[in-house]
Amino acid sequence: MITPNMHYRDLKESYLFAGIAQKVKKYQMEHPEKHIYRMGIGDVSLPLCDAVIAALHEGVADQANKETFHGYMPECGAQFLRETVAKHYAERGVILDADEVFVSSGASDELGDILDLFDRSSSALVIEPAYPAYVDANVIAGREIVHLASGKEPSPAPSCTLC
């Protein structure tokens, strides 16, 4: 028997980015003469540089040609990229082996995997303001969430049985 995850009903109905989009749209309508610099998710100020475009074209060509086709990249990222990341850190005094570097599609995708390392009875400390996915992933997992405000002034210690 398959039992649904009832914690989905605990998610808040408003989504931060939808709320921001509504406020921006309203401001734009009220102030059409103003230029808005968008600095949210996916908002960029310039097109991709020539080197990135060239590398993307090269990657597409590799996948389009039977002789160079390789399918999915290695699970932890392409070796050349992991070596480049390790070299970047070495230039800044951090010594890493390329095997210690993990390349993923981003923090949001990995959040669920990281949460799976801990039992669902564990509480999660979330420093506010937080990216909504950090809160939502813990809500869906059914964890108790302890919120801690960030700022210049010291915050009172959160009440938590694990602290």
Side-chain angles (χ1 to χ4, degrees), residues 106-130:
S108 291
D109 291 344
E110 300 307 326
L111 181 59
D113 296 334
I114 292 169
L115 291 174
D116 288 340
L117 295 173
F118 304 98
D119 186 78
R120 289 177 185 250
S121 65
S122 300
S123 297
L125 176 64
V126 176
I127 299 173
E128 298 289 354

Side-chain angles (χ1 to χ4, degrees), residues 34-131:
K34 299 285 185 179
H35 176 75
I36 297 175
Y37 290 95
R38 298 176 183 272
M39 298 170 59
I41 293 177
D43 291 322
V44 295
S45 57
L46 296 171
L48 296 172
C49 68
D50 292 341
V52 171
I53 296 296
L56 288 170
H57 283 290
E58 184 180 324
V60 168
D62 282 350
Q63 292 294 291
N65 190 333
K66 187 173 183 177
E67 290 76 34
T68 56
F69 176 79
H70 50 74
Y72 288 122
M73 296 302 292
E75 182 180 5
C76 294
Q79 187 66 27
F80 78 89
L81 178 56
R82 295 166 62 209
E83 289 169 0
T84 301
V85 170
K87 181 181 174 189
H88 172 82
Y89 276 96
E91 291 168 357
R92 287 149 183 81
V94 178
I95 306 304
L96 293 170
D97 187 77
D99 291 338
E100 296 176 284
V101 176
F102 175 81
V103 179
S104 74
S105 59
S108 291
D109 291 344
E110 300 307 326
L111 181 59
D113 296 334
I114 292 169
L115 291 174
D116 288 340
L117 295 173
F118 304 98
D119 186 78
R120 289 177 185 250
S121 65
S122 300
S123 297
L125 176 64
V126 176
I127 299 173
E128 298 289 354
Y131 184 61

